Amino acid sequence: MRILQLSDFHLRGDGRRSYRVTDTRRCLDELVRHLEALTPAPDAMVLTGDLADSGDARAYELLREALLPLCRRIYALPGNHDRRDRMRSILGAWCAPDPGIPEFLCQAVEDMPVRLLLFDSMSPGSHSGHCPDAAARWLEAKLRERPGVPALVFMHHPPFKSGMGAMDEPFENVAALEKILGGAPWATLACGHMHRPIFTRYAGIPAMTSPAVAMQLELDLSPEGGDTFRMECSGYLLHHWDGAQLNSHVCQIPGTPGFDGPYPFVDKVNPTED
């Protein structure tokens, strides 16, 4: 089974460049050409947030038009640059919430050899990660339902520290999340938000972040690091389950990276909802 994790598209629907630099529509087009030639085709795609750059509706329409022909099973989470309301109305079944927790875009995919648990860590207007009590109870209950069954837990914000100070913000209720994941050694945590691949262990389980479909964060391990980006190779994670072992591969998207930068994240928006 092959599950593609695609993250941080930062699409704009107005044709402008994100942060005045990145042509995110071109990044999407390069991704589509790559996926059209990919064999075998993925069994599922999971989009781990920041699909739009500022939650505008046209960005979600463009993403849906581009990816819908490529995979029968697509699931999506919001990031801090997204709007839940517009994701619900435009992406539909990609982000259908669990009826037990309708206020969040949490969902469980149970009919595959590896369980896919999508955990919504977004709070409108906030850049950092959140684990509200209701969402924490949902995740704990889902992991307890099928103990020992391999599970990929997807979320936008990583709860672990990266060493890049500007990105290592406080994570609401992180102790509860750590306890829940620590009680599920059969789980693997896969996040977005960091715009580069990071591999570690968190709460005793494998944990990682995906590279971005758009720009990549400058690797700056300082208290101020993580607030600039470079036009490096775009990428994604491919999670492969062979029936006994789960491997996660870093994949690059063919394009024309100039490796120019670093650039600041100017004009950034963490949208609220109407």
Side-chain angles (χ1 to χ4, degrees):
M1 183 174 69
R2 296 155 52 92
I3 302 158
L4 301 194
Q5 180 186 351
L6 306 169
S7 199
D8 297 275
F9 296 77
H10 286 263
L11 271 174
R12 294 185 65 110
D14 59 6
R16 295 184 180 182
R17 292 181 175 239
S18 293
Y19 312 115
R20 306 181 192 175
V21 172
T22 308
D23 184 348
T24 51
R25 179 60 188 271
R26 178 182 59 80
C27 293
L28 176 62
D29 291 343
E30 290 173 348
L31 169 68
V32 168
R33 287 194 293 271
H34 170 66
L35 295 181
E36 286 174 337
L38 195 63
T39 54
D43 298 290
M45 294 183 189
V46 179
L47 317 181
T48 48
D50 284 357
L51 312 183
D53 194 45
S54 58
D56 61 294
R58 181 57 182 152
Y60 298 123
E61 292 168 354
L62 289 171
L63 187 67
R64 187 178 186 278
E65 292 165 6
L67 296 187
L68 189 62
L70 299 177
C71 186
R72 185 174 60 88
R73 305 177 67 134
I74 302 177
Y75 308 97
L77 279 169
N80 46 283
H81 290 276
D82 290 311
R83 286 184 49 155
R84 284 195 192 99
D85 54 350
R86 291 175 179 169
M87 288 179 64
R88 289 176 194 265
S89 63
I90 297 169
L91 301 183
W94 291 11
C95 49
D98 188 306
I101 184 170
E103 65 269 35
F104 299 101
L105 298 184
C106 296
Q107 56 180 315
V109 180
E110 303 284 10
D111 60 344
M112 303 180 77
V114 174
R115 301 177 76 200
L116 310 183
L117 301 180
L118 280 70
F119 181 84
D120 182 349
S121 62
M122 189 270 282
S123 181
S126 172
H127 183 265
S128 60
H130 298 263
C131 178
D133 289 339
R137 289 192 296 270
W138 176 86
L139 181 60
E140 184 173 28
K142 288 299 176 183
L143 287 169
R144 285 181 175 178
E145 280 178 6
R146 301 176 67 188
V149 177
L152 267 167
V153 178
F154 293 98
M155 55 197 299
H156 180 68
H157 301 86
F160 53 84
K161 300 296 184 183
S162 69
M164 294 184 283
M167 295 296 286
D168 288 341
E169 302 171 296
F171 194 114
E172 180 197 1
N173 208 17
V174 71
L177 181 61
E178 183 174 6
K179 182 178 179 181
I180 291 166
L181 294 174
W186 54 87
T188 296
L189 177 63
C191 306
H193 191 56
M194 296 305 298
H195 287 242
R196 63 180 311 108
I198 303 170
F199 294 85
T200 188
R201 294 186 70 82
Y202 177 75
I205 66 172
M208 66 200 73
T209 64
S210 174
V213 172
M215 71 294 291
Q216 311 303 310
L217 275 188
E218 171 84 349
L219 181 56
D220 180 354
L221 300 174
S222 73
E224 300 78 29
D227 203 28
T228 57
F229 65 90
R230 285 187 179 272
M231 298 311 302
E232 300 177 11
C233 294
S234 300
Y236 59 93
L237 292 180
L238 189 159
H239 304 288
H240 176 241
W241 172 253
D242 66 0
Q245 180 169 308
L246 180 68
N247 292 324
S248 296
H249 302 267
V250 179
C251 303
Q252 294 183 328
I253 300 166
T256 54
F259 293 88
D260 47 309
Y263 298 105
F265 285 96
V266 296
D267 303 330
K268 54 189 173 185
V269 177
N270 298 303
T272 57
E273 297 186 357
D274 296 334

